[in-house]
Amino acid sequence: MNQRVNEPLSAIAPAALPASTVDSLPPAPTIAAHPLQKTSVYVTQPVLPPLAEFLPYLEQIWDSKMLTNGGPFHQQLEEALCEYLGVPYISLFSNGTLALISALQALRVTGEVITTPYSFVATAHSLVWNGIKPVFVDIDPVTMAMDPARIEAAITPNTVAILPVHCYGYPCDVDGIQRIADLYGLKVIYDAAHAFAVRHRGNSLLNHGEMSVLSFHATKVFNTFEGGAIVCQDAKTKKRIDYLKNFGIADETTVVAPGINGKMSEINAAFGLLQLKGVDDAIAQRGIRDARYRQGLAGVPGIAVMTSIAGMEPNYSYFPIFVGPDYGRTRDELYFALRARDIYARRYFYPLISQFPMYRGVASAESDNLPVATRAASQVICLPLYPTLPLEQLDEIVNLIRDLPNP
Ligand SMILES: *Cc1c(COP(=O)(O)O)cnc(C)c1O
């Protein structure tokens, strides 16, 4: 089991593949069962359609021999996602981190960018990969996202953009952020890795700011194994993003930027098309479990849950709880009590990004600057939540949380 901190995977390492020889083809490699696989509950489990439904897609790829470089499935998935999400333009990527890095490149962001410490490390890493200095500001205790008042106070002559995160899929204060961006001439790029399909005031949440970046990692609400995308608002910007994810190549003899290889392959795109058919059902199943947690945990002293933001249609991507002093046990006592029952909840987001060695040198990383985020990081546990989580197991988790303080 992978024990690295601040890391979205609860995956099990596959066994090494047996060596193949020309004469005796080995049987298909098997993946060793993890000893705890049968009984353990992880924070998430990826949604997979029946394998047989994927085979016709693979046959088409084998027939066409188009494996990547914007093939037919890539094209179809971009169109299908624009339609499903209600966004004008989307560019697929091989993962969300390369999409974040490329979004900043596309807008030529340099200097300083104001961002949140309460996120997955890729948010801030994407800045460092562009030679940009992250400036951390504190979060709002209701949305768990950047507090616009704190953004304004952190602006310097070097500030070029704002990189907020729709944390756990709950909308940021998009109006407050846009007002400041307009006032000071800043770009806004949303890390929307948690916000697939979230709607807000009847519109896609992904249509705010210059760009929104999605992740289709195995642990996210919609997955293509690995994958990601940038949503943007005009055709010219999409074109520039498409160059950047293909080495900066504009045509056979023209390279317009030092782009990267961030292209999504045909296998991932085809899988995305299949996944899209089941995503509404997956979100509905998540919603049932979200409601059951809320009901089960209501009135437990010291356990706080997030409340819906006005006008939001959620995707139920995570179920964070915050363990306060009234609970009678510490967050880590509860976390390890769950682990002792093979329930692998995760402390997202602890430690704060600003606590990691490559970030704690900047002045804005000081805990005194980030009191709300610091408290949240010390109290949070994300409980297991996925469409196939058995309700009995969910009830067991609720009972354990209720009973732990009064044995
Ligand atoms: C998952 C995630 C990412 C990174 O996406 P990948 O597809 O894994 O590269 C970035 N930001 C946040 C907030 C995430 O949760």
Side-chain angles (χ1 to χ4, degrees):
M1 174 80 211
N2 197 327
Q3 294 299 326
R4 272 177 299 166
V5 289
N6 195 298
E7 119 89 78
L9 254 183
S10 49
I12 293 152
L17 306 185
S20 144
T21 64
V22 179
D23 300 332
S24 60
L25 286 174
T30 52
I31 296 175
H34 189 278
L36 298 176
Q37 203 169 26
K38 289 272 168 351
T39 52
S40 302
V41 182
Y42 294 98
V43 70
T44 190
Q45 193 178 84
V47 174
L48 289 171
L51 183 58
E53 291 181 19
F54 192 41
L55 297 182
Y57 293 81
L58 292 178
E59 279 163 7
Q60 281 190 58
I61 294 172
W62 259 246
D63 285 347
S64 73
K65 313 251 182 309
M66 302 256 326
L67 309 188
T68 185
N69 285 13
F73 285 125
H74 184 282
Q75 186 76 23
Q76 283 177 53
L77 183 59
E78 286 194 345
E79 284 164 19
L81 283 172
C82 281
E83 166 98 26
Y84 177 80
L85 296 170
V87 300
Y89 296 96
I90 198 162
S91 288
L92 298 175
F93 275 78
S94 48
N95 62 65
T97 303
L98 282 172
L100 274 173
I101 290 171
S102 301
L104 292 157
Q105 291 257 322
L107 292 169
R108 296 183 179 278
V109 177
T110 56
E112 293 177 7
V113 168
I114 299 174
T115 191
T116 171
Y118 193 76
S119 180
F120 178 58
V121 282
T123 308
H125 281 1
S126 71
L127 298 173
V128 176
W129 274 84
N130 278 295
I132 295 164
K133 180 181 170 188
V135 174
F136 298 109
V137 298
D138 207 7
I139 57 172
D140 174 274
V142 174
T143 63
M144 307 309 286
M146 289 163 72
D147 179 344
R150 300 300 197 109
I151 297 173
E152 193 158 14
I155 292 171
T156 77
N158 297 325
T159 308
V160 174
I162 308 171
L163 178 58
V165 178
H166 297 299
C167 194
Y168 309 128
Y170 286 70
C172 293
D173 179 354
V174 288
D175 295 339
I177 289 169
Q178 196 58 52
R179 189 187 59 77
I180 292 164
D182 290 344
L183 201 53
Y184 293 90
L186 306 176
K187 306 261 198 303
V188 184
I189 300 168
Y190 283 100
D191 180 339
H194 301 176
F196 186 86
V198 174
R199 296 181 65 80
H200 183 227
R201 304 190 299 229
N203 188 356
S204 171
L205 180 61
L206 308 173
N207 286 329
H208 293 283
E210 266 73 22
M211 296 181 192
S212 292
V213 177
L214 292 163
S215 166
F216 306 148
H217 184 258
T219 54
K220 305 300 203 293
V221 164
F222 170 80
N223 89 73
T224 58
F225 281 48
E226 291 266 7
I230 302 177
V231 170
C232 68
Q233 301 296 317
D234 65 273
K236 216 168 104 186
T237 304
K238 166 157 167 67
K239 203 168 202 179
R240 177 160 166 79
I241 294 165
D242 286 344
Y243 295 156
L244 285 168
K245 76 176 183 193
N246 189 32
F247 313 98
I249 295 173
D251 65 38
E252 221 177 299
T253 53
T254 317
V255 176
V256 296
I260 200 142
N261 181 358
K263 304 184 299 290
M264 178 181 279
S265 86
E266 284 293 278
I267 289 228
N268 301 98
F271 189 71
L273 280 168
L274 179 57
Q275 287 285 64
L276 204 51
K277 295 182 184 178
V279 75
D280 281 337
D281 185 48
I283 291 172
Q285 290 299 328
R286 285 175 174 278
I288 289 167
R289 286 152 182 82
D290 178 285
R292 200 170 174 102
Y293 270 134
R294 283 177 192 280
Q295 196 181 15
L297 294 171
V300 179
I303 298 290
V305 299
M306 287 187 72
T307 48
S308 187
I309 311 284
M312 129 188 217
E313 294 167 51
N315 65 2
Y316 311 106
S317 48
Y318 297 87
F319 198 87
I321 62 168
F322 299 88
V323 183
D326 292 347
Y327 181 61
R329 291 281 185 280
T330 67
R331 184 272 307 270
D332 284 349
E333 282 169 345
L334 173 55
Y335 172 73
F336 286 109
L338 289 164
R339 284 184 68 107
R341 303 270 192 96
D342 285 338
I343 297 158
Y344 296 92
R346 296 297 298 263
R347 292 167 289 185
Y348 300 147
F349 291 102
Y350 164 83
L352 294 178
I353 298 176
S354 46
Q355 290 292 307
F356 292 117
M358 67 292 312
Y359 296 108
R360 61 189 175 213
V362 300
S364 62
E366 301 274 343
S367 302
D368 292 350
N369 183 47
L370 308 167
V372 181
T374 301
R375 191 179 63 230
S378 75
Q379 296 187 338
V380 72
I381 301 181
C382 282
L383 298 179
L385 179 63
Y386 47 91
T388 53
L389 175 66
L391 297 180
E392 314 79 72
Q393 274 178 340
L394 186 154
D395 292 343
E396 238 174 79
I397 294 166
V398 166
N399 289 337
L400 194 150
I401 296 169
R402 298 187 76 100
D403 296 344
L404 185 68
N406 0 267

